[in-house]
Amino acid sequence: MTYTSSARQPEQEPRSTWSRGAERPSDGPEGSAASSAVNEFNVVPITAADTARQGVSREADTSLPSPGESAQGKGSTPTAAKVRADALRMLGCVRIATVRQMAQVITAEESDGRSYVRRAMKELAELGLAETNGKDGKDQIWNLTVAGQKALAEGNELPLRPKAGTGAKAVRAGFGAHGVAVTDMILAYGGRRYLTDWQVEVNHAIRETSLSFNADAVLALPTKTSEVRIFELDNGSMSQARLTKEVWDYERYAGHRIWEGARGTIGGTFPFWQRHRYTRSERFPTLYVVLAGKEEHLLDNRLKALAKDVHGITVAVLATTLPALQRGESWYEIGMDSPDKRRRRYPAPVGR
């Protein structure tokens, strides 16, 4: 039996085929409970490393500067100012993070730079630019203050998002674990290379239909047909029914069309998202669903159930588990973009 390869996005060039197990880690989702979804619901394995590289050349600049190196090529001690600046930039993008996560990005991969980051965060807290409001296990969860957000904008590091929260209320309310998992997902998908190209908690709303939801993260890493990639993370806290609804909400959003035309003309209908959200995209962006927060065999079962529940969806959906993503294993294609089928499913509005 052959599988359809997805080193490219589903909406791009025709895909090649590979044999079972070829070019795939032997311990990937193929051998898990999720594998049965491949045969029953046309779930297609996708190479994780290739999806992260799509649309960016090898020479592309990293979002955060690489750790400094000495003349001998060995990692040098990062300066306090550099660690503070990198920590501010990272928190400005992912909203909340632990010292462990920040050290993973800011310092050399071979070293444990948590001591540098702890010192930097203490200094940022004294300056009123960052604060901690809770813990994830034994690790304190850090977020920017409003002053920290303004400092980033004033330094022309990141654009100011006036309506963006700091994440402090969510952490104090006990929802910090979800935010930490979202940060782990971001770090697993490209690491520091694309870090400042992310936005978290991005609202998608259509007033006319009262549809409104927040995407956990959006990555501005273009493909040939879409300007961004959309990510949803389930940390094991929602029911299977609610998870399924959240995925179908993206089809409802993509399917809504609006009528445009001057009074007295025939006019025409156009996708709402293409006119008001992703205006430089030819196709609705791919949705990446990452499952976390449970033991891995339970995540595999959840992935299999999700594939069944969204069978026939008309937007491109790739899914995996957080442990598999962190190991560089495969994505599964559980939904394919089908604009024509979507248009038939969501009738066009009546013109004036």
Side-chain angles (χ1 to χ4, degrees):
M1 180 176 180
T2 58
Y3 297 112
T4 304
S5 168
S6 116
R8 292 178 291 276
Q9 294 297 338
E11 68 272 25
Q12 296 179 2
E13 304 170 7
R15 299 182 293 264
S16 60
T17 60
W18 59 31
S19 299
R20 178 185 295 272
E23 299 182 29
R24 296 171 48 89
S26 58
D27 58 346
E30 168 87 17
S32 69
S35 63
S36 61
V38 175
N39 296 326
E40 191 174 355
F41 302 108
N42 193 31
V43 182
V44 181
I46 310 289
T47 304
D50 288 337
T51 57
R53 288 195 299 268
Q54 176 125 348
V56 175
S57 67
R58 293 181 181 179
E59 292 77 22
D61 290 338
T62 59
S63 295
L64 288 181
S66 298
E69 293 187 355
S70 65
Q72 290 75 24
K74 298 180 179 179
S76 60
T77 302
T79 64
K82 179 182 180 303
V83 176
R84 288 197 301 271
D86 283 352
L88 278 176
R89 278 195 290 267
M90 180 172 174
L91 288 176
C93 296
V94 304
R95 189 169 296 180
I96 68 173
T98 65
V99 166
R100 170 188 61 81
Q101 292 171 323
M102 287 186 278
Q104 181 179 338
V105 171
I106 294 170
T107 61
E109 294 181 3
E110 301 82 9
S111 64
D112 183 354
R114 280 180 258 190
S115 59
Y116 296 112
V117 176
R118 288 193 188 95
R119 189 178 306 120
M121 297 315 298
K122 181 180 179 181
E123 293 168 352
L124 289 172
E126 291 171 352
L127 293 170
L129 303 179
E131 62 184 2
T132 180
N133 290 281
K135 291 185 176 182
D136 179 50
K138 295 182 179 180
D139 298 325
Q140 288 184 317
I141 301 173
W142 288 89
N143 61 268
L144 294 184
T145 62
V146 174
Q149 291 177 320
K150 291 180 179 178
L152 273 176
E154 290 172 0
N156 291 323
E157 292 295 324
L158 293 173
L160 180 64
R161 299 177 62 203
K163 296 183 179 180
T166 63
K169 291 182 180 179
V171 176
R172 287 197 292 266
F175 303 125
H178 179 269
V180 170
V182 170
T183 301
D184 277 332
M185 175 188 71
I186 288 172
L187 297 184
Y189 194 91
R192 65 183 293 122
R193 185 171 190 180
Y194 313 126
L195 197 60
T196 54
D197 296 320
W198 291 88
Q199 288 187 8
V200 297
E201 293 299 317
V202 180
N203 183 251
H204 294 69
I206 303 175
R207 183 178 301 175
E208 293 81 359
T209 64
S210 300
L211 178 64
S212 180
F213 58 89
N214 289 337
D216 283 322
V218 173
L219 174 61
L221 183 63
T223 68
K224 292 181 180 179
T225 59
S226 300
E227 62 198 86
V228 301
R229 307 170 191 212
I230 305 173
F231 287 74
E232 277 291 334
L233 180 130
D234 166 43
N235 201 37
S237 58
M238 68 178 74
S239 67
Q240 189 73 39
R242 183 184 167 195
L243 173 61
T244 300
K245 178 185 179 300
E246 289 200 355
V247 175
W248 279 102
D249 278 346
Y250 283 92
E251 188 198 74
R252 298 183 185 100
Y253 184 87
H256 183 68
R257 299 180 67 84
I258 55 175
W259 186 88
E260 290 184 359
R263 188 174 296 276
T265 65
I266 296 176
T269 62
F270 303 89
F272 173 89
W273 63 267
Q274 205 165 35
R275 281 295 195 263
H276 296 287
R277 168 62 73 171
Y278 303 115
T279 58
R280 299 189 304 278
S281 296
E282 297 177 16
R283 288 181 175 266
F284 190 75
T286 298
L287 172 64
Y288 294 77
V289 180
V290 179
L291 307 180
K294 293 180 178 290
E295 294 181 6
E296 200 157 358
H297 72 282
L298 297 177
L299 296 179
D300 289 340
N301 292 339
R302 201 163 171 83
L303 174 57
K304 177 183 175 182
L306 181 63
K308 178 180 178 180
D309 291 341
V310 303
H311 181 57
I313 198 168
T314 60
V315 293
V317 184
L318 304 182
T320 190
T321 67
L322 182 58
L325 179 61
Q326 290 170 328
R327 292 193 297 264
E329 295 178 5
S330 299
W331 291 85
Y332 285 101
E333 183 177 83
I334 62 175
M336 294 192 68
D337 185 58
S338 181
D340 293 337
K341 183 177 179 181
R342 190 165 62 237
R343 186 168 183 173
R344 292 193 298 270
R345 187 172 289 176
Y346 298 89
V350 178
R352 287 182 288 185

